[in-house]
Amino acid sequence: RLFTAKWLAPEYKMVVYLLITAGLVLWIQRHLVEYAAFFTLCVVVLLPAVGIAELMLHKILNPTFCDKGLKKTKPSCAACWGDKVNDPLTDMGLEFTDVCFPGPTGNLRGWLCEPPKDDQSGVMVICCHGGGRDRRAWMRHLPFLHAAGHTVLLFDCHGCGLSDGRIRVTFGVQEHQDVLAAVRFACNHLPCLLYTSPSPRDS
């Protein structure tokens, strides 16, 4: 993995594993003649299997729709977002503030949408996007949350959107640290919190 993951593109990883397999098979045939059949079988089965497993893992941890930045075209934007792909002010006329707060692997960035002071409920809703998406995943829900008087924080997890870090979807293994960082940030603004996770069906 050290040789293939760091310096080669994912599509070439299997080629490298196959070349290593061929080289080891030739070495075994020359130097381990007595046990050549057994070790050859082990190498031919195990090394390609490791390569396939790594390639699959790479595809899982790095979905094709993962993109840095807030791009407005597919596959960066999910179909269920509709036309809510810009920002709260442009798409809904809702004022927002760009915020930045420390996360486990660098700064996390997002939008803080606050209703007028007289209408505030005292609750902050922290919206956490799904794997590989960005802060815009919950933007279509802003109007009713804003109407209810809730302050809303939409932020990008590490490596997503405009947040620091390398794109890597770990399905909660690391992302929960981003949520905790968002909670700490929110605690400096409001005592009451509600944090949630997205679902494409909640359109």
Side-chain angles (χ1 to χ4, degrees):
R1 189 179 189 282
L2 177 65
F3 291 104
T4 58
K6 192 172 182 180
W7 294 289
L8 290 179
E11 52 268 25
Y12 297 119
K13 291 183 178 183
M14 279 305 302
V15 176
V16 173
Y17 277 110
L18 291 174
L19 289 174
I20 293 174
T21 300
L24 284 175
V25 168
L26 289 175
W27 186 88
I28 290 170
Q29 295 294 334
R30 291 182 180 181
H31 298 89
L32 298 175
V33 178
E34 187 177 352
Y35 304 102
F38 171 76
F39 285 111
T40 297
L41 179 63
C42 291
V43 169
V44 168
V45 171
L46 292 179
L47 266 181
V50 171
I52 292 172
E54 185 193 351
L55 190 58
M56 291 177 63
L57 184 62
H58 177 87
K59 296 297 183 182
I60 292 171
L61 297 182
N62 300 273
T64 55
F65 54 78
C66 286
D67 261 327
K68 289 290 286 184
L70 300 175
K71 297 181 180 179
K72 301 174 185 178
T73 55
K74 295 182 178 180
S76 298
C77 297
C80 61
W81 295 0
D83 59 352
K84 304 300 186 291
V85 297
N86 296 290
D87 60 63
L89 183 60
T90 301
D91 293 338
M92 303 167 191
L94 300 178
E95 298 287 341
F96 69 93
T97 304
D98 289 306
V99 295
C100 178
F101 51 93
T105 57
N107 289 327
L108 304 178
R109 295 175 174 83
W111 295 322
L112 186 66
C113 301
E114 298 180 278
K117 289 188 177 180
D118 293 340
D119 299 329
Q120 291 183 5
S121 66
V123 172
M124 179 181 288
V125 179
I126 303 176
C127 295
C128 310
H129 62 78
R133 294 301 185 183
D134 59 59
R135 67 184 80 175
R136 297 171 297 173
W138 276 98
M139 194 163 67
R140 63 193 187 279
H141 299 289
L142 266 178
F144 82 84
L145 293 171
H146 189 272
H150 302 325
T151 297
V152 182
L153 173 64
L154 303 99
F155 75 101
D156 303 320
C157 288
H158 67 277
C160 300
L162 300 178
S163 290
D164 295 344
R166 177 184 175 190
I167 296 176
R168 182 59 59 86
V169 179
T170 62
F171 302 97
V173 175
Q174 295 179 357
E175 287 82 0
H176 78 282
Q177 296 291 340
D178 299 331
V179 176
L180 293 176
V183 170
R184 287 191 291 269
F185 169 79
C187 284
N188 294 325
H189 292 75
L190 291 171
C192 258
L193 301 174
L194 166 67
Y195 63 92
T196 182
S197 59
S199 169
R201 292 172 294 180
D202 298 333
S203 56

